[in-house]
Amino acid sequence: KSGNTATDTQVVTVQDNTVPVISCPADVTVYLPLNSTATSMTVTYPAATATDNCPGTIGIAYSQNSGTVFPVGPTTVTATATDAQGNQASCQFTVTVLYNFTGFFQPVDNLPTFNEMKAGQAVPVKFSLSGNKGLNIFAVDSPNSVQINCTSGAPVADVEETSTAGSSSLIYDASSDRYSYVWKTESGWKNTCRQLDVALNDGSHHTALFKFK
């Protein structure tokens, strides 16, 4: 035997191309402080969690951090996890800041009652948000109404305060801490029923039912 030998070296490089797995917290809903003019507030939320197939530190960054100020309405928060190799994965959740709306005041009755009034008259739709939030509280194209069926057997109450106002308007009365939206109805709505939708810029919708005579 001659004892000849040969060797070869092979380099094996393992690449991590697998993105981490990230899980976001549930959506968060909070209400603005009572009896205040605040239209934003500090919100804290639980941390997102992430795992990876390879060892190493996983960093999680947020589009808006917990403990910062969120405006009224819904805000989408994106959480992004980055592993040691730079692979990324994201998830989203929503932080919603709401007004303190507790229902309509007289002369408008709340659901399921139909408010009966003469078509063509105006009615003051009164409510509170627990403090003066300014006059830009409505969502775009709100309030609005749509025709609905007059439900047989539903409770009906007369609207005791109406006016002949020429146009709809919104005012705030500091002494009562109430908003009043003067809703102008149409004379052509006689013998029909309608649902009034008051959509606020916090994303919430509040409805009242009307029956016209």
Side-chain angles (χ1 to χ4, degrees):
K1 291 184 179 181
S2 62
N4 297 321
T5 63
T7 61
D8 189 18
T9 301
Q10 182 179 18
V11 178
V12 177
T13 302
V14 178
Q15 291 186 331
D16 176 14
N17 294 318
T18 302
V19 299
V21 176
I22 185 171
S23 177
C24 272
D27 292 343
V28 176
T29 300
V30 297
Y31 290 85
L32 290 168
L34 295 172
N35 304 310
S36 76
T37 60
T39 55
S40 61
M41 65 181 296
T42 300
V43 180
T44 58
Y45 55 77
T49 58
T51 58
D52 193 45
N53 65 319
C54 291
T57 302
I58 303 174
I60 301 179
Y62 302 88
S63 58
Q64 185 161 346
N65 290 327
S66 177
T68 58
V69 176
F70 285 76
V72 67
T75 299
T76 299
V77 179
T78 301
T80 302
T82 305
D83 67 15
Q85 301 303 315
N87 300 308
Q88 292 185 329
S90 298
C91 61
Q92 293 182 325
F93 62 101
T94 302
V95 174
T96 303
V97 178
L98 295 175
Y99 296 118
N100 291 278
F101 182 98
T102 56
F104 298 111
F105 297 110
Q106 289 295 314
V108 174
D109 283 285
N110 291 282
L111 298 175
T113 300
F114 277 83
N115 295 274
E116 189 171 46
M117 61 182 290
K118 183 178 179 180
Q121 291 188 315
V123 55
V125 181
K126 301 177 182 180
F127 56 91
S128 173
L129 301 181
S130 192
N132 185 2
K133 312 300 183 183
L135 296 180
N136 296 318
I137 58 171
F138 289 144
V140 177
D141 298 327
S142 173
N144 63 74
S145 68
V146 294
Q147 185 172 340
I148 60 173
N149 292 328
C150 297
T151 306
S152 176
V156 178
D158 287 331
V159 175
E160 298 178 354
E161 181 183 352
T162 60
S163 68
T164 55
S167 61
S168 300
S169 59
L170 175 69
I171 61 172
Y172 173 76
D173 178 29
S175 62
S176 63
D177 184 31
R178 291 184 181 181
Y179 284 91
S180 180
Y181 173 74
V182 179
W183 182 40
K184 177 68 171 66
T185 70
E186 303 292 338
S187 58
W189 294 349
K190 183 177 180 180
N191 297 324
T192 68
C193 291
R194 298 187 76 85
Q195 176 177 287
L196 175 67
D197 177 39
V198 177
L200 302 178
N201 62 4
D202 64 353
S204 63
H205 289 259
H206 312 281
T207 59
L209 306 179
F210 288 84
K211 184 175 184 180
F212 296 99
K213 57 186 178 179

